[in-house]
Amino acid sequence: FRNLVMFPITDRRGRVIAFGGRVMDDSKPKYLNSRDTPLFHKRENLYALDKARVAVGERKAQALVAEGYMDVIALHQAGFGGAVAPLGTALTDGQIAALWKIHPEPVVCLDGDAAGQRAAQKAADVALPLLKPGYALRFATLPAGEDPDSLIKRDGPKAMDAVLAQARGLADVVW
């Protein structure tokens, strides 16, 4: 755990089931998670899903997928309590199913760099065979080089609201 910031990963009820770490420098890999166990399957869980489930259910927050732990923390602090992040993986079918349990149309808002946009396209491809009536994904595109954390720090929550207001439907992203 040297030179890592550690984050507890919880299940949908808020029980700690694993840990994730983010490096403090430019070394790779950037994120390290606990290994899969009988309680923790990184392809099925989302960071902060327990908090997002409450925010979406009780406060009618928008479910929102960001790329990393720090993005989710920044989004929650800025009032976007429905934010979650995949755990070092591209968005998987299990994670989409978990999202759809809390909101029928979550917004995918990954980093504005080329890697983030490739990951968003992959999420669209993963979602297509899973579609069912009343369930979809929407996609918000951040300015080039931005992530939710940097955008909120620089321009505030209203800038994030503006990005989310421009979210496009899955069909628009695919076609």
Side-chain angles (χ1 to χ4, degrees), residues 62-149:
Q62 172 64 55
L64 172 63
V65 180
E67 208 163 311
Y69 305 127
M70 297 306 294
D71 294 322
V72 170
I73 291 168
L75 285 161
H76 279 251
Q77 288 176 335
F80 300 92
V84 299
L87 300 168
T89 63
L91 198 60
T92 66
D93 55 350
Q95 291 167 333
I96 291 170
L99 280 166
W100 281 344
K101 287 181 180 177
I102 67 167
H103 196 281
E105 196 175 27
V107 176
V108 176
C109 186
L110 304 179
D111 294 359
D113 59 11
Q117 295 314 298
R118 282 191 305 274
Q121 186 62 52
K122 185 173 181 179
D125 293 343
V126 169
L128 280 174
L130 305 174
L131 290 177
K132 53 188 176 184
Y135 293 87
L137 294 178
R138 292 187 311 136
F139 293 83
T141 304
L142 287 161
E146 294 286 351
D147 60 31
D149 184 28

Side-chain angles (χ1 to χ4, degrees), residues 3-168:
N3 206 31
L4 293 172
V5 174
M6 300 301 296
F7 300 87
I9 299 170
T10 58
D11 65 10
R12 58 185 287 120
R13 293 187 192 142
R15 299 174 297 193
V16 175
I17 56 172
F19 291 91
R22 185 188 188 288
V23 296
M24 297 290 293
D25 54 25
D26 292 330
S27 60
K28 302 287 181 195
K30 190 175 183 179
Y31 292 97
L32 296 170
N33 292 319
S34 296
R35 294 181 185 183
D36 280 4
T37 69
L39 292 176
F40 173 64
H41 304 281
K42 73 178 180 179
R43 296 182 52 82
E44 307 291 323
N45 291 290
L46 292 154
Y47 179 68
L49 182 62
D50 60 318
K51 292 168 185 52
R53 183 174 65 89
V54 171
V56 170
E58 292 178 1
R59 297 191 302 273
K60 306 301 181 212
Q62 172 64 55
L64 172 63
V65 180
E67 208 163 311
Y69 305 127
M70 297 306 294
D71 294 322
V72 170
I73 291 168
L75 285 161
H76 279 251
Q77 288 176 335
F80 300 92
V84 299
L87 300 168
T89 63
L91 198 60
T92 66
D93 55 350
Q95 291 167 333
I96 291 170
L99 280 166
W100 281 344
K101 287 181 180 177
I102 67 167
H103 196 281
E105 196 175 27
V107 176
V108 176
C109 186
L110 304 179
D111 294 359
D113 59 11
Q117 295 314 298
R118 282 191 305 274
Q121 186 62 52
K122 185 173 181 179
D125 293 343
V126 169
L128 280 174
L130 305 174
L131 290 177
K132 53 188 176 184
Y135 293 87
L137 294 178
R138 292 187 311 136
F139 293 83
T141 304
L142 287 161
E146 294 286 351
D147 60 31
D149 184 28
S150 66
L151 181 68
I152 290 167
K153 281 181 182 169
R154 191 186 75 228
D155 297 330
K158 288 187 181 195
M160 193 69 206
D161 278 328
V163 167
L164 296 175
Q166 299 298 316
R168 299 179 304 151

